[in-house]
Amino acid sequence: MADCYWITFLVVLFCLVGAFDASAGDADPLYRACFGQCKETGCAGETCFTHCNTPLNGSSSDDNWYLKEPLYLWLKQANCLSDCQYHCMLQRETERATHGFGPVKYHGKWPFKRVFGLQEPVSVAFSALNLAMHLHGWLSFFTLIYYKLRSNTDETTCYNYTSLWHIYAFLSINSWLWSAIFHGRDMDFTEKLDYSSAVALLGFSLIVSVLRSFSVKNEATRVLVAAPLLAFTITHILYLNNYQMDYGWNMKVCVVIAVSQLLIWSIWAGISHHPSRWKLWTVVVGGGLAMLLEIYDFPPYQGLVDAHALWHATTIPLTYIWWSFIKDDAKFGTSKSSKKDK
């Protein structure tokens, strides 16, 4: 099994060398012309949007105060741009299909069909399920730490990584929340929050993998280890939000971080005698294989299910096993500390 695992990672690492496909649809002159016209007129071909009729400077024949509020105007503009992108994309894809061409990406994403106003309903559902699994896992971990493992004479447990997993749970829930929102409605601010939340979660997950695998318990040492990784993560988030939303570069950074932490966990599982290392192996191997869906993605089937949505689906059972390992690790760490005290 280990040989297969290393082969999988070699394949992933070789894929990092190649360039990722840019969004060809963004450079399409016909799409750009449609999008530019829609921003000016509020109409994509014969499809017009009533919420794009009010001028963006706030001048309106309607005297309602909220129509002139900056927040309302900003949300209206963002929603208008989202609708323009979507309908221009649909029109262009229809034209391409009539000429025998396959779908291409627009703004880093495949063309999807909206269902009940949701742009990627399958990804929204899977993101919500992932959020629920993390919430359930964190609550069960919280109950274990503060009610089952707490000593009668001490209000704290002997597990040294409790605070790290609390932060991890918060970042996970936040990341999957914005994932569901972003897949439901693709706007500039939802995209940035989704990407930023995912990078923050990956960066902190790498920090946790290093601290736990090397049993770093001293607070000063933890700061020294975490500082450069945290600095890189924050810098990358600032780059995406304030300089350029580079989808290809972000994919490379995320894959490198994910592969790094999976390698760390796999080596630690191989050399340690942790009683629940099989759960860790399951998550590591499953996560590595699932990562291939992010690299070798494909257009959405029937405009609904693509490789990214399937990746969301695979992480649901892995999340349950992962939190099960975290709880087992808390029990294992507490029992070892108790034996040392005796």
Side-chain angles (χ1 to χ4, degrees), residues 35 38-43 49-54 56 73-87 114 185 187:
F35 184 50
C38 186
K39 288 193 293 184
E40 295 293 331
T41 64
C43 295
F49 318 109
T50 57
H51 54 275
C52 292
N53 293 337
T54 305
L56 298 180
L73 295 173
W74 176 74
L75 289 174
K76 182 182 71 66
Q77 181 184 24
N79 195 39
C80 179
L81 293 178
S82 176
D83 283 336
C84 285
Q85 290 178 358
Y86 175 72
H87 286 278
R114 287 182 179 178
R185 197 65 167 174
M187 299 182 184

CSV table of all heavy atoms in Angstrom, one decimal, residues 35 38-43 49-54 56 73-87 114 185 187:
chain,number,residue,atom,x,y,z
A,35,PHE,N,-20.2,40.7,-22.5
A,35,PHE,CA,-20.0,41.1,-21.1
A,35,PHE,C,-19.9,42.7,-20.9
A,35,PHE,O,-20.5,43.3,-20.1
A,35,PHE,CB,-18.8,40.4,-20.4
A,35,PHE,CG,-18.7,40.7,-19.0
A,35,PHE,CD1,-19.7,40.6,-18.1
A,35,PHE,CD2,-17.4,41.1,-18.5
A,35,PHE,CE1,-19.6,40.8,-16.7
A,35,PHE,CE2,-17.3,41.4,-17.1
A,35,PHE,CZ,-18.3,41.2,-16.2
A,38,CYS,N,-23.3,44.2,-21.6
A,38,CYS,CA,-24.2,43.9,-20.5
A,38,CYS,C,-24.0,44.8,-19.4
A,38,CYS,O,-24.9,45.3,-18.7
A,38,CYS,CB,-24.1,42.5,-20.1
A,38,CYS,SG,-25.3,42.0,-18.9
A,39,LYS,N,-22.7,45.1,-19.1
A,39,LYS,CA,-22.4,46.1,-18.0
A,39,LYS,C,-22.9,47.5,-18.3
A,39,LYS,O,-23.3,48.2,-17.3
A,39,LYS,CB,-20.9,46.1,-17.8
A,39,LYS,CG,-20.3,44.8,-17.1
A,39,LYS,CD,-18.9,45.0,-16.7
A,39,LYS,CE,-17.9,45.2,-17.8
A,39,LYS,NZ,-16.5,45.4,-17.4
A,40,GLU,N,-23.0,47.8,-19.5
A,40,GLU,CA,-23.4,49.2,-19.9
A,40,GLU,C,-25.0,49.2,-19.9
A,40,GLU,O,-25.6,50.2,-19.5
A,40,GLU,CB,-22.8,49.6,-21.2
A,40,GLU,CG,-21.3,49.7,-21.2
A,40,GLU,CD,-20.9,50.9,-20.4
A,40,GLU,OE1,-21.6,51.9,-20.2
A,40,GLU,OE2,-19.8,50.8,-19.8
A,41,THR,N,-25.6,48.2,-20.5
A,41,THR,CA,-27.0,48.3,-20.8
A,41,THR,C,-27.9,47.4,-19.8
A,41,THR,O,-29.1,47.6,-19.8
A,41,THR,CB,-27.3,47.8,-22.2
A,41,THR,OG1,-26.9,46.4,-22.4
A,41,THR,CG2,-26.5,48.6,-23.2
A,42,GLY,N,-27.3,46.4,-19.1
A,42,GLY,CA,-28.0,45.5,-18.3
A,42,GLY,C,-28.7,44.4,-19.1
A,42,GLY,O,-29.6,43.7,-18.5
A,43,CYS,N,-28.3,44.2,-20.3
A,43,CYS,CA,-28.9,43.2,-21.2
A,43,CYS,C,-27.8,42.3,-21.8
A,43,CYS,O,-26.8,42.9,-22.3
A,43,CYS,CB,-29.7,43.8,-22.3
A,43,CYS,SG,-31.2,44.7,-21.7
A,49,PHE,N,-32.0,42.4,-17.2
A,49,PHE,CA,-32.1,42.2,-15.8
A,49,PHE,C,-32.6,43.5,-15.2
A,49,PHE,O,-32.0,44.6,-15.3
A,49,PHE,CB,-30.8,41.8,-15.1
A,49,PHE,CG,-30.0,40.8,-15.9
A,49,PHE,CD1,-28.8,41.2,-16.6
A,49,PHE,CD2,-30.4,39.5,-16.1
A,49,PHE,CE1,-28.1,40.3,-17.4
A,49,PHE,CE2,-29.8,38.6,-16.8
A,49,PHE,CZ,-28.6,39.0,-17.5
A,50,THR,N,-33.8,43.4,-14.5
A,50,THR,CA,-34.4,44.6,-13.9
A,50,THR,C,-33.5,45.3,-12.8
A,50,THR,O,-33.5,46.5,-12.7
A,50,THR,CB,-35.7,44.2,-13.2
A,50,THR,OG1,-35.5,43.2,-12.3
A,50,THR,CG2,-36.7,43.7,-14.3
A,51,HIS,N,-32.7,44.5,-12.1
A,51,HIS,CA,-31.9,45.1,-11.0
A,51,HIS,C,-30.7,45.8,-11.6
A,51,HIS,O,-29.9,46.4,-10.9
A,51,HIS,CB,-31.4,44.0,-10.0
A,51,HIS,CG,-30.7,42.8,-10.7
A,51,HIS,ND1,-31.4,41.7,-11.2
A,51,HIS,CD2,-29.4,42.5,-10.9
A,51,HIS,CE1,-30.6,40.9,-11.7
A,51,HIS,NE2,-29.4,41.3,-11.5
A,52,CYS,N,-30.5,45.7,-13.0
A,52,CYS,CA,-29.4,46.4,-13.6
A,52,CYS,C,-29.9,47.7,-14.2
A,52,CYS,O,-29.1,48.5,-14.8
A,52,CYS,CB,-28.8,45.6,-14.7
A,52,CYS,SG,-27.9,44.1,-14.1
A,53,ASN,N,-31.2,48.0,-14.1
A,53,ASN,CA,-31.7,49.2,-14.7
A,53,ASN,C,-31.4,50.5,-13.9
A,53,ASN,O,-31.2,51.6,-14.5
A,53,ASN,CB,-33.2,49.1,-14.8
A,53,ASN,CG,-33.6,48.0,-15.8
A,53,ASN,OD1,-32.9,47.6,-16.7
A,53,ASN,ND2,-34.9,47.5,-15.6
A,54,THR,N,-31.3,50.4,-12.6
A,54,THR,CA,-31.0,51.6,-11.8
A,54,THR,C,-29.5,52.0,-12.0
A,54,THR,O,-28.6,51.2,-11.9
A,54,THR,CB,-31.2,51.3,-10.3
A,54,THR,OG1,-32.5,50.9,-10.1
A,54,THR,CG2,-31.0,52.6,-9.5
A,56,LEU,N,-25.8,53.1,-11.5
A,56,LEU,CA,-24.9,52.7,-10.4
A,56,LEU,C,-24.5,53.9,-9.6
A,56,LEU,O,-23.9,53.8,-8.5
A,56,LEU,CB,-23.7,52.0,-10.9
A,56,LEU,CG,-24.0,50.6,-11.6
A,56,LEU,CD1,-22.7,50.0,-12.0
A,56,LEU,CD2,-24.7,49.7,-10.7
A,73,LEU,N,-26.0,49.8,-3.5
A,73,LEU,CA,-25.5,50.0,-4.8
A,73,LEU,C,-24.4,49.0,-5.1
A,73,LEU,O,-24.3,48.5,-6.2
A,73,LEU,CB,-25.0,51.4,-4.9
A,73,LEU,CG,-26.1,52.5,-4.8
A,73,LEU,CD1,-25.4,53.9,-4.8
A,73,LEU,CD2,-27.1,52.4,-6.0
A,74,TRP,N,-23.6,48.7,-4.1
A,74,TRP,CA,-22.5,47.8,-4.3
A,74,TRP,C,-23.0,46.4,-4.5
A,74,TRP,O,-22.5,45.7,-5.4
A,74,TRP,CB,-21.5,47.8,-3.1
A,74,TRP,CG,-20.4,46.8,-3.1
A,74,TRP,CD1,-19.3,46.9,-3.9
A,74,TRP,CD2,-20.3,45.6,-2.4
A,74,TRP,NE1,-18.5,45.8,-3.7
A,74,TRP,CE2,-19.1,45.0,-2.8
A,74,TRP,CE3,-21.1,45.0,-1.4
A,74,TRP,CZ2,-18.7,43.8,-2.2
A,74,TRP,CZ3,-20.7,43.8,-0.9
A,74,TRP,CH2,-19.5,43.2,-1.3
A,75,LEU,N,-24.0,46.0,-3.7
A,75,LEU,CA,-24.6,44.6,-3.9
A,75,LEU,C,-25.3,44.5,-5.2
A,75,LEU,O,-25.2,43.5,-5.9
A,75,LEU,CB,-25.5,44.3,-2.7
A,75,LEU,CG,-24.9,44.1,-1.4
A,75,LEU,CD1,-25.9,43.9,-0.3
A,75,LEU,CD2,-24.0,42.8,-1.4
A,76,LYS,N,-26.0,45.6,-5.6
A,76,LYS,CA,-26.7,45.6,-6.9
A,76,LYS,C,-25.7,45.4,-8.1
A,76,LYS,O,-25.9,44.7,-9.0
A,76,LYS,CB,-27.5,46.8,-7.1
A,76,LYS,CG,-28.3,46.9,-8.3
A,76,LYS,CD,-29.1,48.2,-8.5
A,76,LYS,CE,-28.1,49.3,-8.8
A,76,LYS,NZ,-27.5,49.1,-10.1
A,77,GLN,N,-24.6,46.2,-8.0
A,77,GLN,CA,-23.6,46.1,-9.0
A,77,GLN,C,-23.0,44.7,-9.1
A,77,GLN,O,-22.8,44.1,-10.2
A,77,GLN,CB,-22.5,47.1,-8.8
A,77,GLN,CG,-21.4,47.1,-9.9
A,77,GLN,CD,-20.3,48.1,-9.6
A,77,GLN,OE1,-20.1,48.4,-8.5
A,77,GLN,NE2,-19.6,48.5,-10.7
A,78,ALA,N,-22.7,44.1,-7.9
A,78,ALA,CA,-22.1,42.8,-7.9
A,78,ALA,C,-23.0,41.7,-8.5
A,78,ALA,O,-22.6,40.8,-9.2
A,78,ALA,CB,-21.7,42.4,-6.5
A,79,ASN,N,-24.3,41.8,-8.1
A,79,ASN,CA,-25.3,40.9,-8.6
A,79,ASN,C,-25.5,41.0,-10.1
A,79,ASN,O,-25.7,40.1,-10.8
A,79,ASN,CB,-26.6,41.1,-7.8
A,79,ASN,CG,-27.6,39.9,-8.0
A,79,ASN,OD1,-27.1,38.7,-8.1
A,79,ASN,ND2,-28.8,40.2,-8.2
A,80,CYS,N,-25.5,42.3,-10.5
A,80,CYS,CA,-25.6,42.6,-12.0
A,80,CYS,C,-24.5,42.0,-12.8
A,80,CYS,O,-24.7,41.3,-13.8
A,80,CYS,CB,-25.7,44.1,-12.2
A,80,CYS,SG,-25.9,44.6,-13.9
A,81,LEU,N,-23.3,42.2,-12.3
A,81,LEU,CA,-22.1,41.6,-13.0
A,81,LEU,C,-22.1,40.1,-13.0
A,81,LEU,O,-21.7,39.5,-14.0
A,81,LEU,CB,-20.8,42.1,-12.3
A,81,LEU,CG,-20.5,43.6,-12.4
A,81,LEU,CD1,-19.2,43.9,-11.6
A,81,LEU,CD2,-20.4,44.1,-13.8
A,82,SER,N,-22.6,39.5,-11.9
A,82,SER,CA,-22.7,38.0,-11.9
A,82,SER,C,-23.7,37.5,-12.9
A,82,SER,O,-23.4,36.5,-13.6
A,82,SER,CB,-23.1,37.6,-10.5
A,82,SER,OG,-23.3,36.2,-10.4
A,83,ASP,N,-24.8,38.2,-13.0
A,83,ASP,CA,-25.8,37.8,-14.0
A,83,ASP,C,-25.3,38.0,-15.4
A,83,ASP,O,-25.6,37.2,-16.3
A,83,ASP,CB,-27.1,38.5,-13.8
A,83,ASP,CG,-27.9,38.0,-12.6
A,83,ASP,OD1,-27.7,36.8,-12.3
A,83,ASP,OD2,-28.7,38.7,-12.1
A,84,CYS,N,-24.6,39.1,-15.6
A,84,CYS,CA,-24.0,39.3,-17.0
A,84,CYS,C,-23.0,38.2,-17.4
A,84,CYS,O,-23.1,37.7,-18.5
A,84,CYS,CB,-23.3,40.7,-17.0
A,84,CYS,SG,-24.5,42.1,-17.0
A,85,GLN,N,-22.2,37.9,-16.4
A,85,GLN,CA,-21.2,36.8,-16.7
A,85,GLN,C,-21.9,35.5,-17.0
A,85,GLN,O,-21.5,34.8,-18.0
A,85,GLN,CB,-20.3,36.6,-15.5
A,85,GLN,CG,-19.3,37.8,-15.3
A,85,GLN,CD,-18.4,37.6,-14.0
A,85,GLN,OE1,-18.6,36.6,-13.3
A,85,GLN,NE2,-17.6,38.5,-13.8
A,86,TYR,N,-22.9,35.2,-16.2
A,86,TYR,CA,-23.6,33.9,-16.4
A,86,TYR,C,-24.3,33.8,-17.7
A,86,TYR,O,-24.1,32.8,-18.5
A,86,TYR,CB,-24.6,33.7,-15.2
A,86,TYR,CG,-25.4,32.5,-15.4
A,86,TYR,CD1,-24.8,31.2,-15.2
A,86,TYR,CD2,-26.7,32.5,-15.7
A,86,TYR,CE1,-25.6,30.0,-15.3
A,86,TYR,CE2,-27.5,31.4,-15.8
A,86,TYR,CZ,-26.9,30.2,-15.6
A,86,TYR,OH,-27.7,29.0,-15.8
A,87,HIS,N,-25.1,34.8,-18.1
A,87,HIS,CA,-25.9,34.7,-19.3
A,87,HIS,C,-25.0,34.9,-20.6
A,87,HIS,O,-25.3,34.3,-21.6
A,87,HIS,CB,-27.0,35.7,-19.3
A,87,HIS,CG,-28.1,35.4,-18.3
A,87,HIS,ND1,-29.1,34.5,-18.6
A,87,HIS,CD2,-28.3,35.7,-17.0
A,87,HIS,CE1,-29.9,34.3,-17.6
A,87,HIS,NE2,-29.5,35.1,-16.6
A,114,ARG,N,-27.8,26.9,-13.6
A,114,ARG,CA,-28.3,27.3,-12.3
A,114,ARG,C,-29.6,26.5,-12.0
A,114,ARG,O,-30.4,26.2,-12.9
A,114,ARG,CB,-28.7,28.8,-12.3
A,114,ARG,CG,-27.4,29.7,-12.3
A,114,ARG,CD,-27.9,31.2,-12.2
A,114,ARG,NE,-26.7,32.1,-12.1
A,114,ARG,CZ,-26.8,33.4,-12.1
A,114,ARG,NH1,-28.0,34.0,-12.2
A,114,ARG,NH2,-25.7,34.2,-12.0
A,185,ARG,N,-23.5,31.5,-5.3
A,185,ARG,CA,-23.6,32.8,-6.1
A,185,ARG,C,-22.1,33.3,-6.2
A,185,ARG,O,-21.5,33.7,-5.3
A,185,ARG,CB,-24.4,33.8,-5.3
A,185,ARG,CG,-24.9,35.0,-6.1
A,185,ARG,CD,-25.8,34.5,-7.2
A,185,ARG,NE,-26.5,35.7,-7.8
A,185,ARG,CZ,-27.3,35.6,-8.9
A,185,ARG,NH1,-27.5,34.4,-9.4
A,185,ARG,NH2,-27.9,36.6,-9.4
A,187,MET,N,-19.7,35.8,-6.9
A,187,MET,CA,-19.5,37.3,-7.0
A,187,MET,C,-18.0,37.5,-6.7
A,187,MET,O,-17.4,36.6,-6.1
A,187,MET,CB,-20.4,38.1,-6.1
A,187,MET,CG,-21.9,37.9,-6.4
A,187,MET,SD,-22.9,39.0,-5.3
A,187,MET,CE,-24.5,38.5,-5.8
